Amino acid sequence: MWILWAVTALWAASFSLIGEFLAGQVDGYIAVFIRMALALLLFLPFWRPGRLALPKQLALAGIGAIQIGVMYLLLYHAFLYLNVAEVLLFTIFTPLYVTLIDEVVFQRKHLPWSWWSAAALAVIGAAVIRFNPLSDDFLTGFFLIQGANLCFATGQVFYKRLPLGDERNQIHVFALFFIGATLTTGLAMAAFANFSMQPATALQWGILLWLGLAASGVGYLAWNLASKRVNTAQLATMNNMLIPAGLLVNFLFWGDQVDWLRLAIGAAILASAVYLASLKRRLN
């Protein structure tokens, strides 16, 4: 669990950085492709394709294409319609998607009700923290974020269930994850990008380097490795811990107003969800 907490802290700044410095200034297709390509470059030196059978190689590349390739294409475009707080709000359904996909797709008929309850608690806690009046473009943004949530949830569950060997072996094949994401975002960039909106400042390039190497490269490896160590409910509920973390980052760095009472109540509900999810310790 500590790895999921650490990655949550790593990702907390990403929403603000995208919303403040990239959205509307750097084309979303270009930004996502650069981010995925940088992460791929980080893992290419470690790539040992012979460690994995071809069907599993294709599966891992497909997971990367969905979990972060398509997900980020949808997420970056959502920032054109929503502010950072609204994006955070609309991610609250991810725990339910994780739990639902794990049960339906993998036919886990005996998934404990405590896990469903933990996922529902995570949604309630996040809603308490972040439910505010919405902007006029909220419907378009809402559907974009739900698509992103479904992609992220699907990738997490499929990675958790895909046999990839021990953690050392996963590091040696993880380049495939970003090959899938890079190919997907590269095709989208070639087809739809506005190349007049390329990153032009040192700050924008610095943010993309951080997002590509640290938030994406290190972050997704650590998150997916940890997903194999925890049960489905723990994984599901941790998806919403990013909401209070992201709000705190917005407050500390950008001075956004925070309703501390709602934050405290919502965070307590989220903590209860994580505790409930952790009652069944076996890995599933």
Side-chain angles (χ1 to χ4, degrees):
M1 284 292 289
W2 72 267
I3 297 176
L4 297 180
W5 286 103
V7 177
T8 296
L10 179 68
W11 285 345
S14 296
F15 283 92
S16 294
L17 291 174
I18 296 168
E20 293 289 334
F21 298 109
L22 298 181
Q25 302 175 51
V26 177
D27 181 85
Y29 295 106
I30 296 174
V32 174
F33 172 74
I34 291 173
R35 185 171 176 173
M36 298 301 98
L38 287 169
L40 173 59
L41 290 174
L42 182 65
F43 286 99
L44 278 178
F46 303 100
W47 187 23
R48 304 291 184 272
R51 287 175 173 262
L52 205 61
L54 181 59
K56 291 182 181 178
Q57 292 188 46
L58 295 174
L60 182 54
I63 290 170
I66 294 170
Q67 183 178 344
I68 57 174
V70 179
M71 182 273 285
Y72 272 126
L73 291 173
L74 296 170
L75 176 67
Y76 272 67
H77 283 80
F79 278 102
L80 300 177
Y81 300 94
L82 305 170
N83 59 42
V84 174
E86 289 169 343
V87 169
L88 287 167
L89 166 62
F90 288 158
T91 65
I92 65 175
F93 300 106
T94 308
L96 289 178
Y97 296 151
V98 169
T99 309
L100 182 64
I101 291 168
D102 192 63
E103 178 168 288
V104 173
V105 176
F106 290 91
Q107 297 181 352
R108 296 176 53 78
K109 298 180 183 300
H110 301 293
L111 197 68
W113 276 104
S114 62
W115 292 7
W116 282 102
S117 300
L121 266 180
V123 172
I124 294 170
V128 168
I129 293 171
R130 194 56 270 173
F131 190 79
N132 282 329
L134 303 172
S135 65
D136 292 338
D137 291 328
F138 82 94
L139 194 59
T140 301
F142 175 82
F143 286 117
L144 285 170
I145 291 297
Q146 295 321 299
N149 292 344
L150 279 168
C151 289
F152 189 48
T154 300
Q156 289 178 80
V157 175
F158 274 76
Y159 189 93
K160 178 177 175 61
R161 302 300 174 192
L162 183 66
L164 294 171
D166 60 20
E167 293 183 353
R168 181 178 180 181
N169 198 64
Q170 290 176 62
I171 293 171
H172 283 305
V173 301
F174 204 68
L176 286 160
F177 181 83
F178 285 109
I179 286 174
T182 303
L183 287 174
T184 302
T185 56
L187 290 172
M189 179 183 70
F192 304 113
N194 178 359
F195 287 97
S196 67
M197 296 178 63
Q198 298 183 38
T201 68
L203 177 61
Q204 290 171 343
W205 276 108
I207 290 170
L208 286 169
L209 282 168
W210 160 262
L211 293 174
L213 299 177
S216 291
V218 176
Y220 281 106
L221 173 65
W223 186 273
N224 282 340
L225 290 178
S227 74
K228 290 183 174 292
R229 295 185 178 186
V230 300
N231 65 42
T232 302
Q234 289 172 311
L235 179 63
T237 54
M238 281 302 298
N239 273 269
N240 270 358
M241 293 309 297
L242 186 62
I243 295 175
L247 290 175
L248 286 174
V249 167
N250 267 4
F251 170 76
L252 291 173
F253 290 95
W254 315 117
D256 285 9
Q257 295 299 311
V258 175
D259 188 327
W260 294 106
L261 177 61
R262 287 172 58 181
L263 180 62
I265 294 172
I269 296 172
L270 282 169
S272 299
V274 173
Y275 173 75
L276 181 61
S278 300
L279 291 179
K280 291 186 177 290
R281 299 296 301 180
R282 68 182 185 277
L283 296 181
N284 287 286

